[in-house]
Amino acid sequence: MNNANVKNVVIIGSGPAGLTAAIYAARAELKPVVLAGLTPGGQLMQTTEVENFPGFINGIMGPQLMDNMIKQAERFGAEIILENAVSADFFKKPFSVKTDKTEYLAKAVIIATGAEANWLNLESEQRLRGKGVSACATCDGFFFKDKEVAVIGGGDSAMEEANFLTKFAKKVTVIHRREEFRASKIMLERAKSNPKISFVTNAQVLEVLGEKSVEGIKIKDNATGGEKTIPIQGYFAAIGHTPTTKIFAAAGIKVDQKGYIEVLNHTRTNIEGVFVAGDVSDPRYRQAVSASGMGCMAALDMEKYLAEHEEIESKTVEQVQESKT
Ligand SMILES: Cc1cc2nc3c(=O)[nH]c(=O)nc-3n(C[C@H](O)[C@H](O)[C@H](O)COP(=O)(O)OP(=O)(O)OC[C@H]3O[C@@H](n4cnc5c(N)ncnc54)[C@H](O)[C@@H]3O)c2cc1C
């Protein structure tokens, strides 16, 4: 590990988790390298106002918040590199992470590559993202006070999103493509007993209607083939998320059935020296502040790991010298 090219830590991902880890690692003078991906800043680059990140009384625009985090990390010496990790080798040390251009060797790695919401991939759905189309009720529900919204999906998260949205919306319609629900009985019952929630089952979404903002949704009854329009102002996709973990699973990192990285003991993965933070390991909270919090934890765990390892390495050198005298 004496190679000057071996970095202390490579952080993969530049959302709130990766950049918070970078701020902590840089302040600990570890000169972290952040592989920021081709679209630095993560999911908050796709949004406008963020109203629940602490410290901003009047909220802050998502891209501005992420730009601040990048500058804050750089101020302490983090090196932000606009490259995508395409493969990793965690079976030997130093660890190797390759991009299209370079191979980075590191004593430790923090994976913070986030997750992406699943969509129906309708043209109208993508066009109206941020204009009434969302995949996060916790983030955007507040903007739909006294409005009518639809939640697409039939699992636990769809029921949870629907229930949560009733705090704001006057009516929530759950649209599900089958008769049977994947949601647990208790979650389904809770949604069914909520007077603000109604269900349309066995239905397929054909189009989200509206030019500048969501005005309705066109659906098709799978049994009869009949089409109808439901007026709504908010559309919430709740058909799951896909964590960005393929290259890490191939490098020996344990992931669960849905592809989320398994977390052992706070921020550790199954491979010693490889840590994880943020949405890539978190199907539950999926918030900027929780991702940042975990980024902080991963950096502190990584720092401790490096210190312990350097102690072990220096002890070994001392022991070797002792054995020579
Ligand atoms: C539209 C929208 C609005 C939201 N609004 C809010 C809100 O108001 N409040 C809130 O708390 N949360 C909000 N969220 C959720 C929040 O953005 C996420 O919880 C948070 O960004 C997760 O942070 P993260 O760092 O774990 O991952 P991400 O933000 O997903 O960042 C992951 C980063 O890793 C990079 N990456 C991926 N693969 C690679 C690779 N192979 N090599 C290098 N880099 C890679 C990506 O390019 C990305 O930059 C919103 C999400 C969306 C989509």
Side-chain angles (χ1 to χ4, degrees):
M1 290 236 191
N2 289 331
N3 189 337
N5 289 328
V6 178
K7 311 289 180 192
N8 289 312
V9 58
V10 166
I11 298 168
I12 311 173
S14 60
L19 290 172
T20 306
I23 291 166
Y24 274 77
R27 288 193 76 241
E29 301 192 332
L30 291 172
K31 297 188 173 23
V33 167
V34 181
L35 298 180
L38 302 177
T39 49
Q43 293 171 56
L44 286 184
M45 299 302 283
Q46 303 163 27
T47 194
T48 49
E49 198 86 51
V50 178
E51 294 191 325
N52 54 9
F53 199 88
F56 301 94
I57 302 164
N58 300 315
I60 180 166
M61 299 303 267
Q64 181 64 59
L65 176 61
M66 298 321 297
D67 193 46
N68 289 355
M69 284 194 203
I70 289 173
K71 289 192 175 124
Q72 193 176 355
E74 282 178 332
R75 182 181 149 216
F76 296 112
E79 192 182 347
I80 313 276
I81 297 173
L82 301 188
E83 290 175 21
N84 229 10
V86 294
S87 67
D89 184 352
F90 299 145
F91 294 107
K92 62 175 176 21
K93 288 183 179 166
F95 300 126
S96 153
V97 181
K98 284 185 184 161
T99 68
D100 280 335
K101 294 183 187 158
T102 318
E103 179 179 20
Y104 295 89
L105 300 177
K107 297 177 191 172
V109 168
I110 298 176
I111 301 172
T113 45
E116 283 184 28
N118 297 334
W119 299 96
L120 295 180
N121 282 328
L122 304 167
E123 182 280 324
S124 51
E125 180 194 54
Q126 295 309 302
R127 181 169 46 80
L128 290 163
R129 269 173 74 175
K131 297 171 186 159
V133 167
S134 169
C136 178
T138 316
C139 312
D140 297 328
F142 188 78
F143 301 115
F144 294 90
K145 271 188 183 154
D146 296 324
K147 306 260 163 74
E148 298 193 16
V149 303
V151 172
I152 317 305
D156 274 349
S157 56
M159 299 310 129
E160 204 169 313
E161 302 268 274
N163 267 313
F164 179 78
L165 285 164
T166 58
K167 289 184 186 184
F168 313 101
K170 66 176 175 204
K171 186 174 176 201
V172 178
T173 307
V174 174
I175 297 174
H176 181 42
R177 64 193 163 128
R178 284 193 283 265
E179 274 310 330
E180 312 77 39
F181 287 85
R182 240 180 327 106
S184 59
K185 203 170 163 221
I186 182 161
M187 292 297 290
L188 185 60
E189 286 313 317
R190 198 175 296 158
K192 281 190 169 168
S193 61
N194 188 322
K196 282 188 172 179
I197 301 178
S198 60
F199 288 83
V200 178
T201 55
N202 215 0
Q204 188 190 338
V205 179
L206 297 178
E207 195 182 347
V208 188
L209 304 169
E211 280 305 314
K212 293 202 172 120
S213 62
V214 172
E215 288 167 14
I217 190 172
K218 193 200 271 187
I219 59 169
K220 180 174 150 189
D221 185 313
N222 288 334
T224 64
E227 293 179 12
K228 74 170 178 181
T229 296
I230 304 176
I232 51 162
Q233 294 81 51
Y235 169 104
F236 286 83
I239 50 175
H241 284 72
T242 303
T244 316
T245 54
K246 261 192 200 143
I247 61 170
F248 307 117
I253 296 290
K254 263 197 191 159
V255 297
D256 69 12
Q257 274 181 337
K258 291 185 175 163
Y260 286 92
I261 292 180
E262 283 186 13
V263 186
L264 313 169
N265 196 2
H266 307 301
T267 65
R268 288 168 175 78
T269 67
N270 60 306
I271 295 184
E272 207 194 13
V274 180
F275 300 83
V276 64
D279 283 16
V280 72
S281 63
D282 171 21
R284 185 179 171 85
Y285 300 106
R286 296 196 305 253
Q287 291 297 291
V289 69
S290 51
S292 273
M294 204 174 166
C296 153
M297 289 158 59
L300 294 176
D301 287 344
M302 174 276 299
E303 211 183 308
K304 192 159 182 277
Y305 163 82
L306 287 184
E308 283 168 1
H309 272 251
E310 254 141 46
E311 208 175 301
I312 291 166
E313 276 175 23
S314 60
K315 264 194 193 148
T316 313
V317 172
E318 278 163 23
Q319 279 160 3
V320 170
Q321 280 170 347
E322 254 171 41
S323 70
K324 281 184 185 166
T325 54

